[in-house]
Amino acid sequence: CQPVPKQPNSKGGATSTGWARLLSVLPSFGFLFDIDGVLVRGKTPIPAAKTAFQKLVNSQGQFVAPVVFVTNAGNCLRQEKAAQLSQLLGVPDQVMMSHSPLRMFKRYHDKCVLVSGQGPLLDIAHDLGFCQPITIETLREKHPLLDVVDHDRRPNVLVSVDLSVVLFGEPVRWETNLQLIIDVLLTSGYPGNPYHRENYPHIPVLACNMDLMWVAEAQSPRFGHGTFMVCLENIYKKITGKDLKYEALMGKPSKVTYQYAEYLIRAQAAERQWQHPIHTLYAVGDNLMTDVYGANLYNRHTALSQDEEIDNSWESVLVCTGVYNPHTEVPLDTRASIAETVFHGHRDFRFEPALVEPDHIVPDVDAAVDLVFQLENFAPY
């Protein structure tokens, strides 16, 4: 993957003769880094990431510019992911999970919610502010007659409980989760009762992480939570003839995720007492359908916003170490190749070729940092 040349933007159009005169030591920009496929593959750091953070972290162990790590992962605590990243790359804690924006959905925090996924689900839910979470496994134990795909796990007695649904990430036993979530949706939260297809719209569903696929150590991408959501949506529609509705979708490329990330960037800049306003946010990722689409979509939103406080732009930077990994040299005109890509985004996000066009394509995250420093005429040391 070769870098794609691009004309400098309005902020970074310095020539080689004038560059030294315009160098800045205070950042007026921020980074949003994806994790899987950009910084690590599974539990293995990508070599370029260590080089990149030697440039981004100073001798005091602090970032030289605002940085947030925005991952669509949702099956672990934010603190756990931050500690894992710090151990692998030695970077400060600035991790945002796909479920982090759920902290803002306070109207559900006192309600009983059914949580789907894997890992420490109850701990995650409590950490986000939910007071009455219940897992699929607990629901299965209360309603053992509902989960009969596995004949060895049948019998007993039924109990009813009023529920909403929060999808954190892909579960281990897909058939059990799909069955019980459908039961909850078609009984208005009382899965011990008969189905009532006329109850529509159904009880609230909040979903995190729409990635159809993600990259780990395997040579090919693996199924992500977006694949599980495709299964759930199609089963619901096949049974009812109606679309499954989401109260909210979180994780890239949703607008609420970028709003929350921008809030974290500005809070970090204020805490460090950097006086320059943050004008440009660079979203660095490996996935056209999440990282690039989301940054471009939110950039369009801010450009159309009437809010006078919004005075920034977003630029998408695509790296070639993860989901997007072309086997041939990238053409100078990226629109000629990328616009033909099959859309792997979520059903509720309309495909537009312009939204999956990255502003920049670089080989890896180290090249991305170099590019941004050049565009911003930034010299932290």
Side-chain angles (χ1 to χ4, degrees), residues 202-221:
H202 49 70
I203 62 172
V205 179
L206 299 93
C208 311
N209 182 4
M210 296 164 277
D211 284 355
L212 188 74
M213 296 180 290
W214 66 290
V215 167
E217 289 90 347
Q219 294 298 307
S220 302

Side-chain angles (χ1 to χ4, degrees), residues 95-366:
V95 171
M96 175 181 160
M97 309 293 290
S98 65
H99 50 60
S100 293
L102 281 170
R103 295 180 184 279
M104 300 187 296
F105 287 77
K106 296 184 184 298
R107 64 186 179 277
Y108 293 103
H109 287 179
D110 292 330
K111 297 182 178 180
C112 188
V113 295
L114 176 66
V115 294
S116 171
Q118 57 183 289
L121 293 175
L122 294 180
D123 291 339
I124 295 169
H126 284 130
D127 185 63
L128 291 168
F130 292 99
C131 299
Q132 301 183 67
I134 180 174
T135 65
I136 292 285
E137 186 59 28
T138 299
L139 186 65
R140 191 193 71 81
E141 291 171 359
K142 292 190 177 202
H143 296 263
L145 296 181
L146 300 182
D147 180 24
V148 296
V149 172
D150 186 341
H151 290 222
D152 294 332
R153 301 205 309 168
R154 290 179 177 185
N156 255 278
V157 103
L158 298 177
V159 183
S160 288
V161 58
D162 186 12
L163 296 172
S164 296
V165 179
V166 177
L167 308 177
F168 280 128
E170 63 273 17
V172 175
R173 300 187 67 100
W174 285 35
E175 81 283 358
T176 297
N177 284 256
L178 290 168
Q179 178 68 77
L180 269 64
I181 292 169
I182 290 293
D183 289 337
V184 166
L185 295 177
L186 293 181
T187 59
S188 297
Y190 292 89
N193 293 343
Y195 284 179
H196 294 289
R197 293 180 179 82
E198 65 273 13
N199 290 338
Y200 190 83
H202 49 70
I203 62 172
V205 179
L206 299 93
C208 311
N209 182 4
M210 296 164 277
D211 284 355
L212 188 74
M213 296 180 290
W214 66 290
V215 167
E217 289 90 347
Q219 294 298 307
S220 302
R222 305 292 85 194
F223 288 160
H225 188 222
T227 306
F228 177 81
M229 292 169 65
V230 168
C231 296
L232 179 63
E233 291 156 11
N234 281 279
I235 292 170
Y236 183 86
K237 185 159 189 176
K238 193 72 172 177
I239 292 174
T240 67
K242 300 173 181 176
D243 287 332
L244 179 71
K245 300 289 186 183
Y246 294 98
E247 186 75 9
L249 289 167
M250 278 150 285
K252 297 170 291 185
S254 70
K255 184 176 76 172
V256 67
T257 292
Y258 288 87
Q259 286 176 324
Y260 194 71
E262 184 174 356
Y263 160 76
L264 294 177
I265 286 282
R266 296 191 183 283
Q268 190 180 149
E271 183 180 347
R272 294 289 300 277
Q273 297 184 332
W274 284 318
Q275 300 301 315
H276 287 191
I278 303 299
H279 289 301
T280 311
L281 292 156
Y282 294 92
V284 182
D286 68 314
N287 194 324
L288 289 169
M289 308 304 171
T290 53
D291 303 306
V292 172
Y293 184 105
N296 290 344
L297 182 67
Y298 191 64
N299 191 49
R300 177 185 292 179
H301 163 74
T302 57
L304 296 174
S305 174
Q306 301 299 313
D307 189 343
E308 294 181 358
E309 293 184 5
I310 297 179
D311 180 26
N312 57 52
S313 64
W314 288 69
E315 295 203 19
S316 52
V317 184
L318 182 68
V319 301
C320 304
T321 50
V323 171
Y324 182 77
N325 192 5
H327 296 291
T328 57
E329 186 173 326
V330 179
L332 294 182
D333 181 6
T334 57
R335 295 178 184 273
S337 60
I338 296 174
E340 302 300 323
T341 305
V342 175
F343 185 55
H344 289 166
H346 186 263
R347 175 202 70 186
D348 292 356
F349 291 81
R350 187 176 60 185
F351 175 66
E352 294 183 43
L355 291 178
V356 294
E357 298 295 341
D359 292 301
H360 312 276
I361 302 178
V362 294
D364 52 44
V365 67
D366 185 39

Side-chain angles (χ1 to χ4, degrees), residues 30-34 63 65-70 94-96 260-262 264-265 268:
F31 283 103
L32 278 75
F33 290 108
D34 183 30
F63 286 121
V67 169
V68 173
F69 302 104
V70 184
Q94 292 295 341
V95 171
M96 175 181 160
Y260 194 71
E262 184 174 356
L264 294 177
I265 286 282
Q268 190 180 149

Side-chain angles (χ1 to χ4, degrees), residues 365-377:
V365 67
D366 185 39
V369 171
D370 286 342
L371 172 70
V372 171
F373 280 10
Q374 180 181 353
L375 291 173
E376 294 291 331
N377 302 325

